[in-house]
């Protein structure tokens, strides 16, 4: 990762809630659109948020905060920040564990290999699509890959 | 450039957010409700407020720096205002 200038602006609970709400809106838009590429807007929103958290080495802390403030009854222990944010913001009736795991692997793969200035959608498509990126992550980094901040 | 200016110049913002932050700074200056005036503090507080209200978001820019930009919600809102203003103008022309 590049330089880490520490911005002295706290990420408050209200700010976290506003971001969760924005991601929920993105998911809803994805659900209501017939655009085949609609999923990329939602994944990009999740990716951008967790990406700066990781840059600040706060992704696990903020993801845990998000899990603790989201309203669903049963909160599973999710150690991986991308998966946690998908759990917090996507309708669980539409996105099950398998789907969440797949998207999370795609985003982790992009976090490792995507250039900063390449749009997420372009990267995923260039690498063969969502399923292939998930498979690439599993193959290269394995299921036991450690979740770092 | 003084130290305060150096600090806030490191905050990367898009044009919408920069305009809002500069406006807050102008209001603070006019109101003189801070003693001494601290531009960096005004900038930081305004960004925090905008983030909490869902109008601004942080992200990692293409240089790997934390930057700020308007959320899609704020962009949509501003776009609606612009369209309304244009419609009003057309109506007036008639």
């Amino acid at each position: 990762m590049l330089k880490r200038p520490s911005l002295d602006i706290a990420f408050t609970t209200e700010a976290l809630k506003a971001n969760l709400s924005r991601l929920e809106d993105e998911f809803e838009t994805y659900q209501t659109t017939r655009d085949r590429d609609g999923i990329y807007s939602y994944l990009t929103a999740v990716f951008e948020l967790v990406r700066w958290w990781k840059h600040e080495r706060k992704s696990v802390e903020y993801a845990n905060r998000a899990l603790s403030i989201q309203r669903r009854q049963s909160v599973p222990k999710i150690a991986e920040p991308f998966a946690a944010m998908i759990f917090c913001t996507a309708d669980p009736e539409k996105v099950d564990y398998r789907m969440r795991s797949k998207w999370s692997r795609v985003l982790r793969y992009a976090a490792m290999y995507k250039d900063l200035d390449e749009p997420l959608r372009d990267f995923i498509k260039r690498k063969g699509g969502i399923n292939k990126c998930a498979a690439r992550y599993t193959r290269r980094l394995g299921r036991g890959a450690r979740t770092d901040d | 450039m003084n130290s305060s200016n150096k600090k806030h110049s490191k905050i990367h913002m898009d044009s919408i957010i920069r305009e809002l932050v500069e406006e807050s700074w102008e209001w603070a200056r006019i109101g003189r409700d801070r003693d001494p005036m601290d531009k960096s503090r005004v900038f930081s507080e305004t960004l925090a407020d905008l983030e909490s209200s869902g109008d601004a978001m942080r992200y990692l820019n293409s240089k790997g720096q934390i930057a700020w930009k308007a959320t899609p919600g704020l962009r949509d809102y501003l776009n609606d205002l612009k369209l309304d203003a244009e419609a009003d103008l057309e109506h007036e022309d008639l």
Side-chain angles (χ1 to χ4, degrees):
Chain A
M1 208 50 93
L2 301 174
K3 294 174 280 180
R4 294 176 187 278
S6 179
L7 274 181
D8 206 12
I9 302 173
F11 188 59
T12 63
T13 299
E14 287 309 309
L16 177 55
K17 285 180 180 174
N19 277 279
L20 290 175
S21 175
R22 177 169 57 79
L23 265 54
E24 284 171 346
D25 289 347
E26 290 283 0
F27 183 78
E28 215 170 293
T29 302
Y30 155 58
Q31 285 295 298
T32 53
T33 183
R34 292 183 176 202
D35 182 0
R36 281 182 61 195
D37 287 351
I39 184 59
Y40 293 112
S41 293
Y42 172 68
L43 290 181
T44 297
V46 173
F47 185 77
E48 276 192 327
L49 181 63
V50 175
R51 193 80 194 265
W52 83 255
W53 289 357
K54 282 181 177 288
H55 181 79
E56 297 283 295
R57 299 187 188 281
K58 298 271 191 181
S59 62
V60 172
E61 178 190 330
Y62 291 158
N64 283 334
R65 268 170 61 187
L67 283 167
S68 72
I69 65 173
Q70 65 88 30
R71 292 175 187 165
R72 285 171 202 145
Q73 290 291 315
S74 59
V75 180
K77 209 170 171 59
I78 302 174
E80 202 290 301
F82 287 119
M85 294 315 296
I86 293 166
F87 175 81
C88 287
T89 58
D91 184 345
E93 289 183 6
K94 306 268 172 53
V95 179
D96 62 8
Y97 169 78
R98 282 168 188 268
M99 182 74 82
R100 194 167 67 231
S101 169
K102 180 167 76 177
W103 288 352
S104 150
R105 277 179 281 135
V106 170
L107 297 180
R108 275 180 279 172
Y109 182 71
M112 296 290 289
Y113 297 109
K114 188 182 82 60
D115 285 340
L116 287 165
D117 55 358
E118 182 176 21
L120 181 70
R121 183 179 67 176
D122 294 356
F123 172 81
I124 294 172
K125 288 193 166 189
R126 187 165 59 79
K127 292 291 182 182
I130 287 176
N131 290 336
K132 281 212 170 159
C133 283
R136 281 170 186 265
Y137 178 83
T138 306
R139 197 166 59 238
R140 290 199 184 192
L141 301 164
R143 290 177 188 277
R146 194 172 165 274
T147 297
D148 291 319
D149 253 331
Chain B
M1 190 184 275
N2 64 30
S3 62
S4 147
N5 283 340
K6 276 181 189 168
K7 190 177 175 189
H8 85 253
S9 68
K10 288 179 184 169
I11 303 178
H12 305 278
M13 294 172 259
D14 72 3
S15 57
I16 295 173
I17 297 303
R18 180 164 293 283
E19 195 176 323
L20 292 172
V21 168
E22 294 281 1
E23 191 181 307
S24 287
W25 164 240
E26 288 304 320
W27 276 106
R29 240 164 37 108
I30 292 166
R32 298 211 181 279
D33 56 352
R34 285 166 204 277
D35 190 23
M37 296 280 280
D38 184 339
K39 193 168 185 174
S40 293
R41 193 173 148 198
V42 173
F43 273 38
S44 297
E45 287 177 1
T46 305
L47 286 170
D49 287 346
L50 289 169
E51 186 179 46
S52 294
S53 60
D55 290 329
M57 56 187 272
R58 300 182 220 202
Y59 71 106
L60 212 56
N61 68 16
S62 59
K63 292 177 181 168
Q65 302 157 323
I66 297 287
W68 295 76
K69 64 181 177 181
T71 59
L74 178 60
R75 284 179 183 279
D76 287 347
Y77 173 71
L78 293 174
N79 199 39
D80 285 346
L81 285 182
K82 188 181 165 197
L83 291 174
D84 283 349
E86 285 171 359
D88 286 348
L89 199 64
E90 264 183 37
H91 194 71
E92 279 177 19
D93 286 346
L94 291 175

